[in-house]
Amino acid sequence: MTATVIDGKAFAAKVRGLVGEGVAKLKADHGITPGLAVVLVGEDPASQVYVRSKGKMTVEVGMHSIEHKLDVATSEADLLALIDQLNNDPAIHGILVQLPLPDHLDSDLVINSIDPAKDVDGFHISNVGLLGTGQKSMVPCTPLGCLMMLRDYHGSLSGMNAVVIGRSNIVGKPMAQLLLGDSCTVTIAHSRTKDLPHVVRQADIVVAAVGRPQMVPGDWIKPGATVIDVGINRIEKPDGGTRLVGDVDYDSCAAVAGAITPVPGGVGPMTIACLLANTLTACCRANGLPEPEGLTA
């Protein structure tokens, strides 16, 4: 068996297209332009690249884009004051504070100071609670992207056995909630799980989000299962260079699975696409307008 490759790059382009259509309709019908503000504290190279990419794509879909780049020594009071200003700005519908923050800043305090309705990362404790109780919320971008790809590939997920490897607040836990919401039977596995290979082999859907390069081999995968690889790990090549790999061993898993996401080009592109989708959704909700179809959970 050779797995079908789920092309996240192509699917993300489709999602951005839908977002662009939604933005154009908002402008034409209501004179409203969705606005996204991204706050970057410090000069982390990976964060800088990510923020530039977000800003470029925000503009491409027709949204209003603002970037606040703050010095690494910015005080917590000054950062909270900026967030308060953005909370009260009617032109801003989504606020994203790029993580990780410098050590002297309390990430939980900062994230929970964002207006939950503008929390397009879905990390605010109110959105976590709403998602966990099956209510309307802002949904974390990476798990939302995974869910979209699964729905697109399978149609209905009802009754499927899903194993999420990883219990982070950013991916593992919200992913499990979303799969439950689509009527999967869900197991959250982690480093302390007894006989992890046996647990994973029961799954029709495997979502690997542990941050360990190529941890999941093909002999853990049930024949025909769908494998969603959230991991992005940089490893050394024999020639001294580096390459990106996921949390699953792609070649051995692709030989057994029914479908699989590659790394790179799988889940990664969907994260920014879903950030844009969340911003459009937040704008529609703020203005009492119907939400765009197919762009949220």
Side-chain angles (χ1 to χ4, degrees):
M1 178 183 294
T2 301
T4 298
V5 178
I6 299 176
D7 188 341
K9 189 174 181 180
F11 193 73
K14 177 182 174 183
V15 171
R16 292 196 305 274
L18 292 173
V19 171
E21 290 173 9
V23 171
K25 184 171 175 58
L26 274 181
K27 290 179 177 179
D29 295 352
H30 305 283
I32 299 169
T33 300
L36 173 64
V38 178
V39 179
L40 174 64
V41 184
E43 299 179 354
D44 178 78
S47 292
Q48 287 181 321
V49 171
Y50 199 42
V51 166
R52 277 198 301 272
S53 182
K54 287 174 182 174
K56 178 184 176 185
M57 292 186 185
T58 303
V59 172
E60 284 177 355
V61 298
M63 291 184 180
H64 174 47
S65 175
I66 293 179
E67 292 178 12
H68 291 274
K69 296 181 179 179
L70 307 180
D71 187 82
V72 68
T74 297
S75 71
E76 198 163 77
D78 286 346
L79 178 55
L80 293 176
L82 172 60
I83 292 171
D84 186 59
Q85 175 189 324
L86 295 171
N87 283 340
N88 291 291
D89 185 345
I92 297 299
H93 304 95
I95 301 169
L96 183 148
V97 177
Q98 183 65 41
L99 300 177
L101 289 170
D103 291 341
H104 70 283
L105 300 174
D106 183 337
S107 296
D108 289 338
L109 176 66
V110 170
I111 295 303
N112 288 323
S113 71
I114 299 171
D115 179 346
K118 297 187 178 187
D119 167 39
V120 286
D121 250 344
F123 294 162
H124 191 288
I125 191 65
S126 294
N127 283 318
V128 173
L130 290 167
L131 178 62
T133 52
Q135 300 179 67
K136 184 183 290 185
S137 67
M138 297 308 303
V139 180
C141 302
T142 299
L144 177 58
C146 295
L147 182 71
M148 285 183 179
M149 289 191 290
L150 286 167
R151 285 174 171 173
D152 182 70
Y153 181 75
H154 284 286
S156 172
L157 306 181
S158 180
M160 299 182 78
N161 287 324
V163 171
V164 179
I165 311 173
R167 50 181 167 176
S168 73
N169 293 330
I170 293 174
V171 180
K173 291 175 185 176
M175 187 75 248
Q177 296 291 351
L178 289 173
L179 290 166
L180 279 172
D182 269 30
S183 299
C184 291
T185 300
V186 183
T187 300
I188 301 179
H190 47 78
S191 60
R192 302 284 181 90
T193 299
K194 292 183 178 179
D195 199 354
L196 182 58
H198 172 75
V199 172
V200 176
R201 286 189 196 106
Q202 310 310 306
D204 304 307
I205 296 169
V206 177
V207 180
V210 287
R212 296 185 184 180
Q214 301 173 315
M215 171 183 161
V216 180
D219 64 5
W220 288 18
I221 303 300
K222 175 182 176 180
T226 300
V227 178
I228 304 293
D229 191 349
V230 181
I232 301 178
N233 310 284
R234 190 170 292 279
I235 64 171
E236 289 190 8
K237 297 192 294 185
D239 64 5
T242 63
R243 67 186 179 102
L244 290 178
V245 299
D247 289 350
V248 309
D249 180 64
Y250 183 84
D251 290 341
S252 65
C253 288
V256 181
I260 191 169
T261 58
V263 177
V267 174
M270 286 298 295
T271 298
I272 294 179
C274 288
L275 171 68
L276 302 176
N278 277 352
T279 303
L280 176 59
T281 296
C283 180
C284 291
R285 290 177 181 174
N287 289 281
L289 298 170
E291 296 177 20
E293 291 186 13
L295 293 179
T296 189

